[in-house]
Amino acid sequence: MRDYFPFLRVALMLVLMGGLLPLHAQKLNMDKEQADQFIYDNLNNNMSTQYDIETVTVIPSRLVKTDERSVFLLRGDYYQSETLRTDCYVRKTRNNYLVISDKRFPLETFTNQLLNKVQCGHVLQVKHHQYGQKIPILKTSLQSLFAMFLPTMKAFVSVTSVSNEEIEAILLFHHPKLDFVHMLTLKTNTEGLLKKDNIIYGDLYTNIPQDNLNTILDR
């Protein structure tokens, strides 16, 4: 198993869940508890698949070779850590570049799926860590998550480990103007990446002020 980002997975458990309130909740006249509940109520059991995937424009000068033949990394941005990125993966064909969605490339495929660059049918079943130490189970489609967060936030991904049996990743959404984040730690069966209604398990931390995240990422 390749393990890419173990320190962050452990440090996430130290997130300060109380007290500080993101700006967007203040503007909605919500406290932290209400803001967390608002997200839960709007996502739980929402299985919509209507949110469109993001178009990928391949710029050859931004392509970086990988160890896999004909597979390239399309460079993007990063957030706080060089490992949390917007990079996606493409494969060169005779006349074109294709965004990777292929069971032969699980790391590349999962990264592209979590950045909404390719179609997928994943269902999230995550523990939602809310204010007041409430941790209900939230079940939703990945597309519903994108529909709620991506219109105003930017997604960053880090695949933290890959094996033949399981793949793990961190998915973070950052609001560039209001400077708060939502973060998910995710794991699923590697063989299920291309299957409809495949379950992804993990943890969801919402409405985290950036100062808290800085403390985590600096560890």
Side-chain angles (χ1 to χ4, degrees):
M1 177 183 289
R2 290 182 285 175
D3 200 349
Y4 299 92
F5 211 3
F7 73 92
L8 181 54
R9 199 163 55 248
V10 174
L12 279 171
M13 302 310 297
L14 302 177
V15 173
L16 302 177
M17 297 304 295
L20 296 175
L21 183 65
L23 292 176
H24 84 302
Q26 291 177 344
K27 290 190 174 184
L28 292 173
N29 295 318
M30 294 182 183
D31 59 23
K32 178 68 167 62
E33 182 176 11
Q34 292 170 326
D36 287 345
Q37 189 64 44
F38 176 82
I39 289 174
Y40 180 85
D41 290 342
N42 280 272
L43 283 178
N44 193 40
N45 293 321
N46 184 344
M47 297 300 168
S48 173
T49 59
Q50 300 304 308
Y51 195 72
D52 292 336
I53 62 170
E54 186 175 320
T55 301
V56 174
T57 301
V58 174
I59 302 172
S61 63
R62 289 171 52 193
L63 293 177
V64 178
K65 291 183 179 180
T66 71
D67 294 335
E68 300 284 355
R69 184 180 177 182
S70 299
V71 173
F72 294 85
L73 184 69
L74 180 59
R75 277 293 185 187
D77 303 321
Y78 71 92
Y79 179 75
Q80 296 293 332
S81 167
E82 282 282 352
T83 54
L84 278 168
R85 305 193 61 90
T86 63
D87 305 341
C88 73
Y89 291 90
V90 299
R91 181 170 59 86
K92 186 177 182 180
T93 64
R94 181 173 298 180
N95 300 311
N96 200 1
Y97 290 95
L98 300 176
V99 183
I100 293 176
S101 181
D102 189 320
K103 65 181 181 181
R104 296 175 298 172
F105 305 106
L107 180 151
E108 293 83 355
T109 296
F110 201 36
T111 298
N112 289 343
Q113 290 174 342
L114 294 179
L115 289 172
N116 194 36
K117 307 296 187 184
V118 292
Q119 294 282 2
C120 64
H122 294 310
V123 172
L124 298 177
Q125 187 170 307
V126 296
K127 298 176 182 177
H128 184 193
H129 296 256
Q130 299 182 10
Y131 179 82
Q133 299 184 332
K134 294 189 297 184
I135 313 178
I137 300 297
L138 184 152
K139 189 172 182 179
T140 191
S141 67
L142 186 59
Q143 295 303 111
S144 294
L145 191 80
F146 292 151
M148 185 167 192
F149 294 156
L150 284 184
T152 57
M153 306 184 80
K154 191 170 184 177
F156 299 84
V157 170
S158 175
V159 172
T160 56
S161 67
V162 182
S163 72
N164 291 332
E165 293 76 33
E166 193 171 74
I167 185 166
E168 300 181 27
I170 292 167
L171 172 59
L172 180 144
F173 296 93
H174 174 238
H175 197 298
K177 293 183 178 180
L178 303 182
D179 216 13
F180 67 90
V181 302
H182 307 309
M183 183 180 290
L184 299 98
T185 59
L186 304 170
K187 62 181 178 180
T188 193
N189 188 304
T190 306
E191 286 295 318
L193 287 179
L194 298 180
K195 295 180 180 178
K196 189 177 186 306
D197 297 327
N198 175 62
I199 302 293
I200 301 178
Y201 299 94
D203 295 88
L204 169 62
Y205 303 84
T206 48
N207 302 307
I208 306 171
Q210 183 183 321
D211 288 345
N212 291 19
L213 186 67
N214 289 342
T215 300
I216 294 168
L217 295 177
D218 286 344
R219 289 179 177 272

